[in-house]
Amino acid sequence: MDMDADQPRSGGPSNTLRLQRSLAAIACLVNKSWYTETVRYLYQTVIISRPSHYVSLFTGHGPMHVGNPGEHTKLLKLVTPPRSSLPLCVHRTVVPYIQFDFGSSSVFFDRVDSFSGRTLRHLGRTTERISALATCSVPLYQLAMCLEASKMRLFVSEEHPVDGNDDIWQDLIAGHVAALRMMANLQHLVLDAELYLILLPAYFKTWCQTDMWIQVLAALKSESTAKPMATFFDETSVSTLTLIGAHVPTLAFLARISRAPKVTEINLAGWNKPDIPEAWSSFLKEERASPDPLCNWVETDPNSL
């Protein structure tokens, strides 16, 4: 062993030092390659469950900042709404799919209106309440637009149930549907049937639940074919609409009233259960025998959509 190997020779670095630098360079290269490959998978799905997560993710040098891991995110799932605007547009991170737990918006119901001093829940169906709810929802759609989301899902979770008989939910979902008109990048909307029904008059639910639903649906189909119906999606950029629900008649009715001019595909999912009624099975069999070119009865697990 050369005892002088660690000592500099002729003013240059020692062999040992030269070897250490070589190993360090290789280690750095390996780690960088590992990071580049693995980060694509670690951040493909990002779930925000607390308001504080928005700040840590989207400001400063958080993961969703441009050049950081958030560039690889394919799905952003929000189970709590953003409470305030964030400086997002400068980040230029694109997230193609955003899911939002609509029921989590109930956190806004106890906000106090600055003019009346009453909570939004107790304001009643007034212009002030609708305006306040719309303002509360603005940060969500700012986020969706700045991230250039082309697909969005509004869903109902077990943790945040929605009461379709409470008019505050009706005002809120109406505001969300109206906001979709601003999203020029939105091509695919995934919507829980439970939320869609909140927008509709009570007699529509009666149609879906009556024993004569097939006859009523046929009459509605005949009427809408003769004279196209206005829909909630007429002024949006949505071309693909996916409706999720377990009740086959409801899905069939919703599909019939959702044929906006730009909609070229309607997917119906969530109905594929092992114990569906015989009448529903017969209806689906007939649907497949003479398929509607616009509608697809999808057997895929709705959680994968």
Side-chain angles (χ1 to χ4, degrees):
M1 180 181 290
D2 185 359
M3 299 300 297
D4 295 325
D6 289 338
Q7 302 300 319
R9 297 179 181 178
S10 303
S14 69
N15 290 338
T16 300
L17 184 58
R18 190 179 300 112
L19 180 62
Q20 289 172 344
R21 286 180 177 174
S22 177
L23 289 174
I26 294 173
C28 180
L29 181 62
V30 170
N31 288 339
K32 186 176 181 180
S33 299
W34 176 86
Y35 175 83
T36 301
E37 290 302 316
T38 57
V39 77
R40 300 177 184 221
Y41 303 98
L42 291 176
Y43 284 86
Q44 283 194 358
T45 298
V46 174
I47 300 175
I48 297 182
S49 58
R50 296 181 181 178
S52 60
H53 291 170
Y54 287 99
V55 176
S56 58
L57 279 169
F58 292 105
T59 60
H61 296 282
M64 301 301 288
H65 193 281
V66 65
N68 282 342
E71 290 188 323
H72 304 293
T73 301
K74 305 300 180 186
L75 168 62
L76 179 62
K77 186 173 183 178
L78 314 177
V79 294
T80 187
R83 310 291 175 86
S84 59
S85 299
L86 296 168
L88 300 169
C89 293
V90 297
H91 292 233
R92 305 305 301 169
T93 297
V94 176
V95 177
Y97 188 15
I98 293 179
Q99 295 184 353
F100 176 60
D101 182 352
F102 182 80
S104 67
S105 296
S106 61
V107 297
F108 298 132
F109 295 171
D110 291 321
R111 281 195 176 183
V112 177
D113 176 62
S114 57
F115 295 101
S116 66
R118 302 173 65 189
T119 63
L120 301 187
R121 188 189 304 274
H122 296 103
L123 269 181
R125 304 199 79 174
T126 60
T127 303
E128 289 76 16
R129 184 172 79 176
I130 294 173
S131 177
L133 288 172
T135 300
C136 291
S137 302
V138 164
L140 169 66
Y141 287 94
Q142 284 181 330
L143 173 64
M145 287 187 284
C146 287
L147 295 179
E148 300 180 18
S150 58
K151 183 178 180 181
M152 187 171 188
R153 178 181 178 185
L154 300 178
F155 70 96
V156 178
S157 69
E158 294 181 358
E159 292 78 12
H160 301 112
V162 172
D163 181 3
N165 296 317
D166 189 336
D167 56 23
I168 195 170
W169 288 108
Q170 297 168 9
D171 291 342
L172 186 59
I173 185 60
H176 277 264
V177 171
L180 297 176
R181 300 171 186 171
M182 300 185 296
M183 298 181 63
N185 292 307
L186 185 65
Q187 300 296 317
H188 188 172
L189 176 65
V190 185
L191 186 62
D192 279 18
E194 182 178 348
L195 291 178
Y196 200 160
L197 284 173
I198 293 175
L199 287 169
L200 302 170
Y203 64 77
F204 189 89
K205 300 175 186 177
T206 303
W207 289 353
C208 299
Q209 296 168 359
T210 179
D211 293 337
M212 301 291 289
W213 67 271
I214 292 180
Q215 290 82 353
V216 177
L217 179 63
L220 180 62
K221 179 178 180 180
S222 177
E223 181 180 343
S224 60
T225 301
K227 183 180 179 181
M229 304 171 60
T231 79
F232 291 109
F233 314 108
D234 285 354
E235 299 179 23
T236 71
S237 59
V238 173
S239 59
T240 300
L241 180 64
T242 296
L243 303 174
I244 299 177
H247 196 257
V248 168
T250 297
L251 292 177
F253 275 100
L254 293 177
R256 176 49 54 182
I257 66 169
S258 303
R259 296 164 184 260
K262 293 182 182 178
V263 172
T264 58
E265 181 180 358
I266 300 176
N267 300 311
L268 307 172
W271 54 269
N272 189 27
K273 309 293 182 183
D275 55 348
I276 64 173
E278 181 60 33
W280 296 5
S281 297
S282 300
F283 171 77
L284 292 171
K285 186 176 181 180
E286 292 180 7
E287 286 286 292
R288 291 192 176 97
S290 54
D292 184 328
L294 202 62
C295 292
N296 305 308
W297 290 89
V298 182
E299 298 185 13
T300 308
D301 179 359
N303 292 321
S304 66
L305 298 173

